[in-house]
Amino acid sequence: MRGVRGGGDAAAEFHTFFERHYAELARLAYLLTGDADGADDLAADALLALWHRWDRVCAAEHPAAYARGVVANMARSRIRSAVRERRRVTLFWGSGRGEACEGPDVPAVVDVQEALRSLPFRKRACVVLRHAFDLSERETARALGVSVGTVKSQTSKGMAELHRLLGPRQALERVRMSAMGGER
């Protein structure tokens, strides 16, 4: 592993950071993407990117928030890539058949992962960071690179949608449980 500062101290600092935050970043990736296998890869990719910018991470006021932002940005990129790929596949296989592609048939009872996946990325990220990871509005805004007002509105709208899908009593509890690995 190549260190940006070259010293053993940087490697030791990074190793400590990795041990402390890997599981949390993997859970965040899972809640943002809904893909258990891909979440571990995404967390590892994010940590590799952090290692390459370790000087910048160490200089950040809140290195863990910086790391969450990297995971969120990488998750957003992967989701966009997956959507583009699904569109290409749908166009390829659906073009000669004259069949219309309809949205998925949503069951009457949806689990928290399906409900989270139904939210647009920013709402999902705000809900997950605020309620599953118990970050403050300011910490969530910092991690996502948005204003506190955006966090407030996106969280409120996201929770309203989850209440509609999961029921008002279960939504918050189930989002929190999923962060602890209860639904992974």
Side-chain angles (χ1 to χ4, degrees):
M1 187 186 289
R2 179 185 63 117
V4 289
R5 284 193 254 180
D9 290 342
E13 287 173 8
F14 178 77
H15 184 266
T16 300
F17 184 87
F18 180 96
E19 292 294 325
R20 185 174 298 139
H21 296 286
Y22 175 78
E24 171 193 346
L25 296 174
R27 284 192 312 272
L28 173 60
Y30 174 64
L31 290 170
L32 293 175
T33 64
D35 177 13
D37 295 329
D40 290 330
D41 291 342
L42 196 144
D45 290 347
L47 284 160
L48 179 61
L50 291 169
W51 170 244
H52 289 296
R53 297 185 292 234
W54 191 239
D55 282 344
R56 207 175 319 163
V57 175
C58 289
E61 188 174 339
H62 301 282
Y66 188 98
R68 289 183 202 108
V70 170
V71 169
N73 288 332
M74 289 180 131
R76 180 183 303 118
S77 294
R78 288 193 184 186
I79 290 167
R80 287 178 179 163
S81 293
V83 167
R84 282 192 300 270
E85 181 63 21
R86 278 192 296 259
R87 285 182 186 149
R88 283 192 293 269
V89 168
T90 300
L91 286 172
F92 177 78
W93 289 107
S95 62
R97 300 175 183 199
E99 299 172 5
C101 293
E102 295 182 17
D105 182 23
V106 180
V109 179
V110 280
D111 69 18
V112 71
Q113 291 304 314
E114 289 170 348
L116 283 171
R117 279 192 299 269
S118 73
L119 296 177
F121 181 81
R122 186 174 288 171
K123 285 180 189 170
R124 181 180 343 141
C126 287
V127 167
V128 166
L129 290 171
R130 289 281 295 125
H131 296 294
F133 285 85
D134 291 322
L135 295 185
S136 70
E137 290 166 342
R138 185 176 308 279
E139 291 169 326
T140 301
R142 190 179 303 120
L144 296 175
V146 298
S147 72
V148 171
T150 298
V151 170
K152 288 179 181 181
S153 69
Q154 294 295 294
T155 302
S156 175
K157 290 174 183 176
M159 286 306 295
E161 184 66 15
L162 290 176
H163 287 168
R164 187 183 70 72
L165 294 170
L166 299 171
R169 290 186 185 159
Q170 296 178 0
L172 186 56
E173 179 182 322
R174 292 179 75 184
V175 169
R176 284 192 173 140
M177 281 184 59
S178 65
M180 294 184 283
E183 297 196 12
R184 180 170 176 192

